[in-house]
């Protein structure tokens, strides 16, 4: 692209501080809002597009004058004059094409950025109400495919308008040469578009179904990735992988069908205009032989028809883009139509005083104040449902100090009860800022938090210390380091109740044992729940709750449950891969177990 400077300027203008209030009453209204939000740029794009399209019709006319007034008349001066006009017009057409393409690129960028911003803003406003209404896969596919299609649809506002105007201009020029040729061409061009229409309808229907299946498949993949470590612990990875493979294979025939229809559409859009051009050339050549039109006019007709192929291509492209854009816009307006939960009845702001127990009646789980409780479940979904209820993410009868969580203001509740898992996002920036968040922690506080999560080695290994730069999602550190940094951030937040989901799943045995000991020490006197099946962590918990079919079957210490609950013991043994590991974890002597697991090359 030859207009990088312009794109850089546009990149500085977007995203916007305020992208505006979208009209999400219908997909068409949303597309119209994207258009009117940048009306000046769209009008400029329509101007450049129309001028460029009409300018394409000028060279054929100039060529006809060059032949008739210059070559046939043997007028050297006229030949030079008209040839120069052709060269100048060609340069003008090229400049207009650049301006059109540059402006329409900015139009598409604006639409894409604006859509991302309004969706992100609304998703943020929905908060915890979002996951119950829209899957992560749906949002991922929205970003990967739908936003691009919406942006592409806005091309209709520029070249689309220009194509219609160029069609009218060509009609006037052709009628000046031959009414018969004008009628043939002006009726033949819409016939070309109508020929492809039925195939486009089939294609859009198939693509819509394919889009829905892809979204569901992406959601399944997201669920698998988010629970990968837990699935590995219970031996569920092969089952979920098989399910994903089965659904993916079922989608292949539909993909082949879409590819077949697409190939026919592309073949017809390429072949039919060429055939039509050949027919018009044959008719105009016969007229030239009969003397009805001149040789120059024959060349002009050929040029008009060849140039008219550009508007035809834009007509067909617009007919293809608009239905796709409406389908994609439907996904956006459906998300924008979602509303947050009613907060009027949520008035509580402060945690119970003195510290009180957090109780989930549905599962029977009771988190005693000031204790570290571990939750062990054979099914990850069951434990996840429990912690989401305890965190107030889902409506339930969970009570804290005698009052249900539904009475608390959600923002205040997030400060008091923190759910930290391995999906927590990490923004780019200095390590100090990433782990401390908006709170005002001193460097000494941060160092203590890093030590509690056994993450102090990350700082010590870097010359920049706490100023070490972390990339987006902390991609420049390992998975285990990333997990420990997330844990550091959760510990520095120091909530009244901390809910941790598999906080050591990516750690080796030695580091896991260190984290388990320091976590218990750091959270001493504070209410903490750890969802895990690791015996190294379970051995440090004050109390362990064994969950079966969504209900707490037994509670006690790790050693007590190993002796009294065979199902619990089997689950822990399978997770650790060694009965010796579980036994030593129960007794607190981790040395031999750790050495055995490290020797086996385990990196949890």
């Amino acid at each position: 692209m030859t207009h990088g400077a312009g794109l850089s300027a546009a990149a500085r203008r977007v995203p916007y501080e305020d992208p505006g209030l979208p009209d999400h009453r219908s997909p068409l209204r949303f597309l119209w809002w994207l258009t009117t939000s940048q009306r000046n740029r769209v009008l400029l794009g329509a101007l450049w597009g129309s001028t460029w399209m009409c300018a394409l019709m000028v060279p054929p006319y100039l060529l006809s004058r060059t032949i008739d007034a210059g070559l046939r008349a043997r007028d050297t001066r006229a030949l030079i004059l008209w040839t120069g006009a052709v060269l100048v017009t060609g340069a003008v057409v090229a400049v207009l094409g650049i301006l059109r393409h540059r402006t329409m690129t900015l139009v598409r960028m604006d639409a894409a950025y604006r859509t991302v911003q309004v969706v992100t803003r609304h998703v943020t406003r929905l908060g915890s109400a979002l996951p119950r209404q829209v899957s992560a896969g749906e949002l991922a596919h929205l970003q990967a495919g739908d936003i691009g299609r919406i942006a592409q649809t806005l091309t209709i506002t520029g070249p689309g308008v220009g194509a219609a105007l160029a069609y009218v201009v060509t009609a006037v020029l052709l009628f000046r040469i031959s009414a018969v040729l004008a009628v043939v061409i002006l009726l033949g061009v819409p016939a070309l578009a109508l020929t492809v229409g039925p195939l486009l309808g089939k294609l859009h229907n198939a693509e819509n179904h394919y889009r829905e299946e892809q979204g569901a498949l992406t959601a399944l993949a997201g669920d698998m990735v988010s629970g990968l470590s837990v699935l590995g612990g219970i031996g569920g990875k092969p089952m979920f992988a098989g399910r994903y493979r089965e659904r993916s294979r079922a989608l292949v025939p539909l993909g082949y069908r879409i590819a077949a229809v697409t190939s026919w559409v592309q073949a017809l859009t390429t072949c039919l205009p060429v055939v039509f051009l050949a027919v018009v050339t044959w008719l105009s050549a016969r007229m030239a032989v009969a003397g009805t039109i001149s040789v120059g006019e024959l060349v002009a007709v050929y040029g008009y028809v060849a140039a008219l192929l550009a508007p035809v291509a834009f007509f067909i492209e617009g007919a293809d883009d608009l239905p796709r854009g409406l389908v994609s816009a439907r996904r956006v307006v459906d998300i924008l139509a979602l509303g947050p939960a009613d907060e009027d009845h949520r008035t509580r702001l402060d945690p119970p005083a003195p510290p009180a127990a957090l109780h989930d009646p549905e599962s029977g789980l009771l988190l005693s104040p000031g204790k570290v409780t571990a939750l062990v479940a054979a099914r990850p979904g069951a434990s996840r449902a429990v912690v989401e209820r305890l965190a107030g993410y889902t409506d339930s009868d969970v009570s804290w100090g005698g009052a249900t969580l539904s009475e608390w203001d959600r923002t205040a509740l997030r400060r008091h009860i923190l759910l930290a898992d391995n999906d927590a996002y990490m923004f780019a920036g200095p390590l100090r800022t990433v782990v401390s968040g908006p709170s005002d922690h001193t460097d000494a506080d941060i160092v203590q938090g890093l030590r509690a999560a056994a993450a102090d080695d990350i700082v010590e290994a870097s010359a920049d210390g706490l100023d070490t730069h972390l990339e987006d999602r902390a991609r420049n550190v390992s998975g285990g380091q990333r997990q420990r940094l997330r844990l550091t951030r959760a510990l520095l937040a120091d909530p009244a109740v901390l809910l941790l989901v598999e906080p050591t799943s990516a750690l080796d045995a030695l580091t896991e044992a260190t984290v388990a000991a320091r976590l218990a020490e750091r959270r001493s006197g504070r209410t903490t729940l750890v969802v895990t099946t690791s015996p190294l962590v379970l051995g440090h918990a004050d109390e362990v709750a064994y969950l079966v079919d969504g209900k707490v079957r037994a509670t006690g210490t790790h050693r007590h449950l190993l002796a009294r609950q065979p199902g619990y013991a089997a689950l822990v043994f399978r997770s650790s891969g060694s009965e010796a590991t579980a036994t030593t974890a129960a007794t607190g002597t981790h040395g031999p177990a750790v050495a055995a697991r490290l020797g086996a090359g385990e990196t949890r």
Side-chain angles (χ1 to χ4, degrees):
M1 193 176 292
T2 58
H3 45 274
L7 290 182
S8 298
R12 288 193 294 270
R13 291 193 293 269
V14 292
Y16 300 101
E17 291 185 7
D18 181 13
L21 185 63
D23 187 344
H24 59 271
R25 288 176 290 176
S26 71
L28 189 59
R29 288 178 181 272
F30 180 76
L31 293 178
W32 180 246
W33 173 76
L34 289 177
T35 302
T36 56
S37 295
Q38 47 174 332
R39 58 174 60 87
N40 291 337
R41 188 181 292 127
V42 168
L43 289 174
L44 184 61
L47 173 63
W48 293 132
S50 301
T51 308
W52 174 71
M53 287 280 189
C54 294
L56 292 176
M57 306 304 164
V58 176
Y61 171 77
L62 296 178
L63 283 174
S64 69
R65 298 303 302 156
T66 302
I67 294 173
D68 290 340
L71 289 177
R72 295 190 66 190
R74 299 182 183 277
D75 187 339
T76 304
R77 185 172 179 275
L79 178 63
I80 295 174
L81 176 65
W82 289 111
T83 302
V86 171
L87 293 175
V88 172
T89 303
V92 171
V93 169
V95 172
L96 289 173
I98 292 174
L99 293 174
R100 174 198 64 81
H101 183 64
R102 175 185 182 276
T103 304
M104 294 314 302
T105 299
L106 297 178
V107 169
R108 290 192 293 270
M109 286 178 59
D110 185 285
Y113 275 112
R114 202 179 293 271
T115 302
V116 169
Q117 281 188 268
V118 296
V119 170
T120 302
R121 181 179 63 183
H122 190 68
V123 165
T124 304
R125 187 181 299 120
L126 288 174
S128 60
L130 178 70
R132 299 193 298 273
Q133 304 179 73
V134 182
S135 68
E138 182 71 14
L139 287 176
H141 204 76
L142 178 73
Q143 188 276 335
D146 289 326
I147 290 176
R149 288 181 178 179
I150 290 172
Q152 180 64 29
T153 304
L154 264 70
T155 301
I156 298 174
T157 62
V161 174
L165 186 58
Y167 188 75
V168 175
V169 171
T170 305
V172 174
L173 294 173
L174 286 172
F175 270 108
R176 294 184 59 186
I177 297 175
S178 170
V180 174
L181 285 175
V183 171
V184 170
I185 294 172
L186 296 179
L187 293 181
V189 169
L192 293 178
L194 292 175
T195 302
V196 186
L199 285 176
L200 287 177
K202 290 183 178 180
L203 179 61
H204 295 149
N205 290 335
E207 284 186 332
N208 190 21
H209 180 53
Y210 190 70
R211 160 68 176 79
E212 293 176 354
E213 292 296 325
Q214 274 188 319
L217 195 61
T218 306
L220 179 60
D223 293 340
M224 286 179 59
V225 172
S226 62
L228 196 58
S229 58
V230 182
L231 288 175
I234 65 172
K237 282 195 292 187
M239 181 186 70
F240 273 82
R243 184 180 302 175
Y244 180 86
R245 190 181 301 110
E246 179 181 347
R247 293 188 61 175
S248 180
R249 286 175 178 172
L251 202 57
V252 170
L254 182 57
Y256 284 149
R257 178 187 169 195
I258 292 175
V261 178
T262 302
S263 64
W264 275 105
V265 171
Q266 292 178 347
L268 288 175
T269 54
T270 303
C271 179
L272 289 179
V274 175
V275 173
F276 180 67
L277 180 60
V279 171
V280 172
T281 303
W282 180 76
L283 289 174
S284 57
R286 288 180 61 87
M287 290 182 176
V289 171
T292 307
I293 62 175
S294 67
V295 175
E297 289 174 330
L298 167 63
V299 173
V301 169
Y302 178 87
Y304 291 147
V305 176
L308 200 58
L309 295 182
V312 171
F314 276 108
F315 280 140
I316 296 176
E317 183 179 334
D320 188 25
D321 287 340
L322 182 57
R324 291 185 179 187
L326 289 173
V327 170
S328 296
R330 166 61 64 188
R331 315 290 180 187
V332 173
V333 299
D334 285 346
I335 291 177
L336 295 178
L338 299 176
D342 181 25
E343 299 285 333
D344 292 342
H345 65 286
R346 296 176 173 270
T347 56
R348 286 182 175 265
L349 300 175
D350 300 319
L358 189 63
H359 180 231
D360 176 29
E362 186 170 339
S363 65
L365 178 64
L366 181 70
L367 298 187
S368 301
K371 290 186 178 181
V372 175
T373 304
L375 180 64
V376 178
R379 293 188 299 109
S383 58
R384 182 73 193 188
V386 171
V387 295
E388 288 189 352
R389 290 197 297 269
L390 293 174
Y393 283 9
T394 56
D395 294 330
S396 67
D397 294 327
V398 172
S399 61
W400 190 22
T404 60
L405 295 187
S406 60
E407 299 178 27
W408 261 271
D409 174 80
R410 287 186 184 274
T411 303
L413 187 63
R414 297 292 174 264
R415 292 196 299 266
H416 307 321
I417 302 178
L418 174 63
L419 171 57
D421 57 22
N422 294 321
D423 292 331
Y425 199 92
M426 301 187 74
F427 292 95
L431 186 147
R432 172 191 287 104
T433 304
V434 171
V435 298
S436 65
S439 302
D440 186 19
H441 291 106
T442 65
D443 286 357
D445 294 335
I446 296 174
V447 169
Q448 290 178 5
L450 289 166
R451 183 186 179 282
D456 43 349
D457 62 310
I458 303 174
V459 175
E460 294 170 357
S462 174
D464 295 329
L466 293 177
D467 292 321
T468 299
H469 180 75
L470 294 178
E471 296 179 0
D472 188 47
R473 298 178 183 269
R475 289 182 301 228
N476 55 329
V477 298
S478 69
Q481 291 174 324
R482 194 157 47 242
Q483 191 172 55
R484 285 180 283 153
L485 289 175
R486 286 194 178 101
L487 179 57
T488 302
R489 184 169 61 182
L491 293 176
L492 287 174
D494 197 27
V497 179
L498 178 59
L499 310 175
L500 299 171
V501 179
E502 296 289 345
T504 62
S505 59
L507 308 182
D508 61 70
L510 182 60
T511 308
E512 186 177 22
T514 303
V515 169
R518 293 180 181 178
L519 174 63
E521 178 184 351
R522 173 81 180 193
R523 292 292 297 176
S524 178
R526 308 285 273 173
T527 306
T528 308
L529 175 69
V530 183
V531 177
T532 184
T533 55
S534 168
L536 297 174
V537 179
L538 296 172
H540 285 88
D542 297 317
E543 187 175 58
V544 180
Y546 176 40
L547 196 70
V548 178
D549 295 330
K551 304 291 184 180
V552 174
R553 172 171 292 183
T555 58
T557 64
H558 178 49
R559 180 185 299 180
H560 173 83
L561 293 180
L562 282 176
R564 303 287 182 87
Q565 295 291 328
Y568 174 85
L571 179 61
V572 171
F573 292 164
R574 181 169 56 185
S575 172
S576 65
S578 168
E579 183 172 343
T581 302
T583 304
T584 53
T587 60
T589 56
H590 298 297
V594 169
R597 290 172 64 181
L598 289 177
E602 179 176 348
T603 54
R604 285 178 56 87

